[in-house]
Amino acid sequence: MRRTIIAASLLFLMSCWAIAQESALKSLFSQQYGAITKPSRSSVADLIAAILKNGTPEAKIFLTKWRDREIWLRKSDGQFFLVKPEGDHFQLIDTLTGTSAGVVKKEDIELIKPNAGVQAAVASALVQFQLSDPDTKIRIGALSSIEKDPQAPQLGPLRSAIASETDQDIKARKVRLERLLTLRFDQDINARVAAIKSFAGDTRVDVRSALNPILTTTRKVAAAIAANDNVARQLKPSVDINIDDAYAMLVAASLAPASVSDGERDSALVANLKDGKVGGIVRDALNTSLMRDEAYDALVKVGSAKPFVRAAARAETVTKFVFYEVYSESQPSITSAAFSTVNAINNTVKINRILNLILDSISLASIYFLAAIGLAITFGVMRVINMAHGEFIMIGAYTGYVVQQYVADKTASITIALPTAFVVSFAAGIILERLVIRKLIHRPLETLLATFGISIALQQIAKNIFGTQARPLTSPDWLGGALNFNDIVSISYIRVAIFVLAVIFFTLLLFILNKTRLGLEVRAVTQNRRMAASMGINPDRINMLTFGLGSGIAGIAGVAIGLYAQVTSEIGSNYIVMSFMAVVVGGVGNVWGTLAGAALTGMMQKFIEWFNPSNTLAAQTFMIIFIIVFIQFRPRGIVALKGRAAGD
């Protein structure tokens, strides 16, 4: 019985406290009626502080609804409500209790519309509740809100919310954001310096956005540098700042009489030129600065021009003052730490850009390797320059496109397209070898011209079948996006897949050439065709299989390239020149040489593009010049053939 009485008493006291708090909140609404109905950015801070001081959940709900423009005013008594449409009328809902307060017409109520500045102030104030909200999404939303618009009042609530955070990812984000706010808003100089130094080497954009305002400078001029100025650097007139700009600063600071620049002087002379004279001086005599000064002084005397201080006098006046840049941040220790941190970040950025460039180079080299390896095998065995090799890349790309028209699943379609492209290109290569290459194999010029003509014919056939517009070859979802190491270094998953494909084919070709009978026969024909024939090897059969193998690999390269490039009839011709260069630079007829040639070609192109990123054509031109010079010193390539094959 005694416990029941105690429990009832506690419930009664809690009820009384809630009623008192509700009453206090309503009383506050009455007192702040004007500030709520017609809020402004200047008055809203005190209003928000007064409402939050109430400490009840209803206070937070009211602020949230007010920010979201869901609070209505009943005109008859000035009370605030939420509303719910009910036919042609509106049901009033008490903002504190949630109970119904009757039904009114539209003309009896008015929506309160705080402006964007007020909404932002309310949102900032509500962050302290949202940072500790049980809902993970609300906490993340609060952090995103702070990141978009960091304010000094948010620092305290953010620090308080770190200890109670249970999600480790969100906690790490809070800790990092707290350091960002500390370096900008903390009153403790040592805390700001420590926070700034903690970001040394951090390349994320938000760090640089926080540090850059600290290092913002403004130009000043004075007879002597003020003791409390945090000087960034002194400016030397005519070196760091021109005389006219320096004198203009003196005029703006009321340290020198107003004047005009030499350019403005000359314009005034032209405007006042009459009958071949200005200021009593003939036009032909105005060929020196001294005479122009004389003429302008004459205009000033009669009131036809603004006052003028001659250049020599302006230059002399400028030397009597000190020009310098000062940091907007007054504390030298803070700007010094920020400067050191920014330098560390810039060094890290440079290193990461070089790493990103290397990744791009490796990616491009893997594409060139896939495109060139088939050409290298064909040329090494048959000594045939196949100008239609790029069209086998095109055939592979269009094969992938056709497969995707019948297989909707992108992963399955690519899985089917790769071997299908190999088979189709392999067959096309054998047909070309049988009908054309075999008949012209000992006539290299005719072979080159014939394959060039076939290249044009195949492109036209592709245009007739598929049209001139680019066709999509869509990659699977798991190949979408990029592998991001940080804000600077990244590589798309498609490029990673192409690199892996290049490694697989490189390994497979080494196995075929070194561990199989076909590879043994190919190497034999490559090194000495006549000796291979005398040992029972059929060179014509090897030529056919080699040409088919090289064409099939080109088809697979076409599928890979088509995943990120546009599939058109010219897709192969875009890579044929670079493929030939990779083969020639690396060493004809050697897989390792082709790898080395593709690597050198890809890296050279990317590094040249780095110096001239807006002109890739110029980059390719410079690279071709480099390769021509390289061949003069090493005509057999990086990895040259040895033995009899080297002399063929």
Side-chain angles (χ1 to χ4, degrees):
M1 183 67 180
R2 186 175 180 181
R3 290 181 180 178
T4 304
I5 294 173
I6 292 173
S9 300
L10 288 173
L11 287 173
F12 176 75
L13 290 173
M14 290 176 64
S15 176
C16 290
W17 179 84
I19 293 172
Q21 291 292 92
E22 181 182 324
S23 176
L25 198 55
K26 286 190 174 182
S27 176
L28 176 62
F29 291 163
S30 298
Q31 296 171 10
Q32 300 286 350
Y33 174 81
I36 295 174
T37 54
K38 295 181 179 179
S40 66
R41 189 66 185 263
S42 59
S43 63
V44 72
D46 293 337
L47 171 61
I48 294 172
I51 294 175
L52 290 178
K53 190 176 181 180
N54 181 265
T56 61
E58 289 77 16
K60 186 181 84 169
I61 293 172
F62 178 84
L63 282 176
T64 303
K65 298 296 183 183
W66 186 44
R67 177 200 62 188
D68 297 338
R69 294 187 175 184
E70 296 180 15
I71 298 294
W72 293 71
L73 169 70
R74 187 163 62 187
K75 297 178 181 179
S76 60
D77 58 4
Q79 296 295 312
F80 302 111
F81 297 94
L82 302 175
V83 301
K84 183 179 180 182
E86 195 170 284
D88 295 334
H89 295 73
F90 291 87
Q91 182 182 6
L92 300 179
I93 301 173
D94 191 287
T95 56
L96 303 181
T97 64
T99 58
S100 176
V103 178
V104 297
K105 296 179 180 179
K106 176 66 181 294
E107 55 267 23
D108 296 331
I109 56 177
E110 179 183 353
L111 178 63
I112 299 174
K113 299 178 180 179
N115 60 35
V118 172
Q119 288 177 304
V122 175
S124 178
L126 288 172
V127 163
Q128 62 182 294
F129 295 102
Q130 297 167 343
L131 286 171
S132 301
D133 195 283
D135 191 334
T136 301
K137 292 182 179 178
I138 293 178
R139 299 202 303 277
I140 293 175
L143 290 174
S144 299
S145 177
I146 296 175
E147 288 167 348
K148 291 177 182 177
D149 184 26
Q151 302 290 336
Q154 298 165 342
L155 182 55
L158 180 60
R159 284 175 173 167
S160 301
I162 291 175
S164 59
E165 181 58 61
T166 55
D167 188 299
Q168 293 304 312
D169 291 336
I170 297 178
K171 187 171 185 177
R173 189 172 170 184
K174 284 182 177 181
V175 169
R176 186 173 187 279
L177 188 55
E178 184 271 335
R179 287 189 290 136
L180 283 172
L181 266 63
T182 297
L183 73 85
R184 293 182 61 180
F185 304 118
D186 202 296
Q187 298 300 313
D188 187 343
I189 294 176
N190 292 330
R192 292 184 65 188
V193 170
I196 290 170
K197 290 182 177 179
S198 70
F199 285 107
D202 192 323
T203 60
R204 279 176 277 189
V205 177
D206 55 353
V207 177
R208 281 171 277 179
S209 298
L211 291 174
N212 286 338
I214 296 175
L215 298 176
T216 301
T217 61
T218 55
R219 288 182 173 181
K220 293 184 69 174
V221 59
I225 297 176
N228 60 344
D229 280 341
N230 185 7
V231 179
R233 64 168 182 150
Q234 283 192 240
L235 303 174
K236 187 176 180 180
S238 77
V239 177
D240 302 312
I241 180 173
N242 65 59
I243 299 298
D244 285 342
D245 289 343
Y247 192 83
M249 289 178 63
L250 291 174
V251 173
S254 301
L255 297 174
S259 182
V260 295
S261 66
D262 289 346
E264 292 171 323
R265 174 204 63 188
D266 295 343
S267 298
L269 292 176
V270 172
N272 287 276
L273 187 65
K274 293 180 181 179
D275 300 327
K277 293 183 178 182
V278 58
I281 301 175
V282 295
R283 179 174 56 187
D284 293 342
L286 300 174
N287 56 354
T288 64
S289 180
L290 179 61
M291 293 304 296
R292 288 194 288 271
D293 288 346
E294 294 288 347
Y296 190 87
D297 285 341
L299 293 178
V300 173
K301 288 179 181 179
V302 298
S304 298
K306 296 178 181 179
F308 178 65
V309 179
R310 296 192 178 192
R314 295 199 302 271
E316 183 180 356
T317 303
V318 162
T319 59
K320 297 177 181 178
F321 295 90
V322 180
F323 297 84
Y324 56 102
E325 291 180 349
V326 296
Y327 290 113
S328 54
E329 170 59 53
S330 61
Q331 295 295 329
S333 59
I334 292 176
T335 53
S336 177
F339 189 79
S340 299
T341 300
V342 168
N343 281 341
I345 290 174
N346 289 337
N347 290 334
T348 305
V349 167
K350 290 177 183 177
I351 294 171
N352 279 284
R353 283 177 178 170
I354 293 173
L355 292 175
N356 194 57
L357 182 65
I358 292 173
L359 274 182
D360 283 346
S361 301
I362 293 173
S363 171
L364 185 61
S366 65
I367 294 170
Y368 286 161
F369 176 77
L370 276 178
I373 186 62
L375 188 65
I377 296 172
T378 303
F379 192 79
V381 174
M382 304 175 65
R383 297 296 189 267
V384 170
I385 300 176
N386 178 19
M387 295 300 294
H389 184 76
E391 278 50 60
F392 292 112
I393 295 175
M394 175 196 70
I395 289 172
Y398 274 121
T399 301
Y401 165 73
V402 171
V403 169
Q404 284 200 340
Q405 305 311 301
Y406 296 96
V407 182
D409 184 86
K410 296 300 183 290
T411 301
S413 66
I414 295 300
T415 304
I416 296 172
L418 288 172
T420 304
F422 178 84
V423 172
V424 173
S425 300
F426 182 89
I430 287 180
I431 292 171
L432 178 61
E433 194 276 336
R434 283 283 187 176
L435 298 180
V436 179
I437 303 298
R438 178 167 298 188
K439 301 181 184 303
L440 302 174
I441 192 168
H442 298 298
R443 289 177 284 175
L445 180 60
E446 286 87 340
T447 304
L448 187 149
L449 293 175
T451 53
F452 181 72
I454 291 169
S455 167
I456 297 173
L458 289 174
Q459 288 187 32
Q460 188 58 51
I461 292 171
K463 289 177 182 177
N464 293 339
I465 297 174
F466 298 101
T468 57
Q469 292 184 340
R471 299 294 177 176
L473 184 54
T474 309
S475 62
D477 292 338
W478 52 272
L479 282 180
L483 179 61
N484 297 308
F485 297 95
N486 52 46
D487 287 354
I488 300 172
V489 182
S490 66
I491 184 171
S492 66
Y493 287 123
I494 292 178
R495 295 277 186 123
V496 174
I498 292 174
F499 174 76
V500 172
L501 192 64
V503 172
I504 291 173
F505 265 92
F506 176 72
T507 307
L508 184 62
L509 280 172
L510 285 180
F511 175 79
I512 292 174
L513 292 175
N514 295 313
K515 301 296 182 181
T516 66
R517 180 178 178 81
L518 175 62
L520 178 64
E521 293 178 349
V522 167
R523 285 186 287 125
V525 173
T526 300
Q527 292 178 14
N528 193 316
R529 176 181 292 270
R530 292 180 181 179
M531 183 63 72
S534 68
M535 298 296 292
I537 298 173
N538 186 346
D540 291 338
R541 173 178 168 273
I542 296 301
N543 286 347
M544 180 186 69
L545 292 176
T546 302
F547 201 91
L549 178 63
S551 302
I553 294 173
I556 290 179
V559 176
I561 294 171
L563 288 175
Y564 76 92
Q566 292 183 332
V567 180
T568 65
S569 58
E570 290 84 17
I571 187 173
S573 59
N574 294 333
Y575 292 92
I576 187 65
V577 174
M578 306 310 297
S579 299
F580 271 115
M581 284 199 293
V583 171
V584 172
V585 170
V588 174
N590 190 299
V591 177
W592 285 100
T594 305
L595 177 64
L600 179 62
T601 305
M603 289 187 177
M604 280 296 301
Q605 180 173 336
K606 282 299 178 181
F607 273 90
I608 294 173
E609 284 179 6
W610 191 25
F611 294 101
N612 191 9
S614 61
N615 194 340
T616 56
L617 182 59
Q620 291 186 353
T621 303
F622 286 122
M623 185 179 61
I624 291 173
I625 293 173
F626 168 81
I627 289 173
I628 292 173
V629 174
F630 174 83
I631 292 174
Q632 301 305 310
F633 293 95
R634 197 171 179 84
R636 294 181 182 175
I638 298 173
V639 183
L641 289 175
K642 297 179 180 180
R644 291 177 180 268
D648 291 342

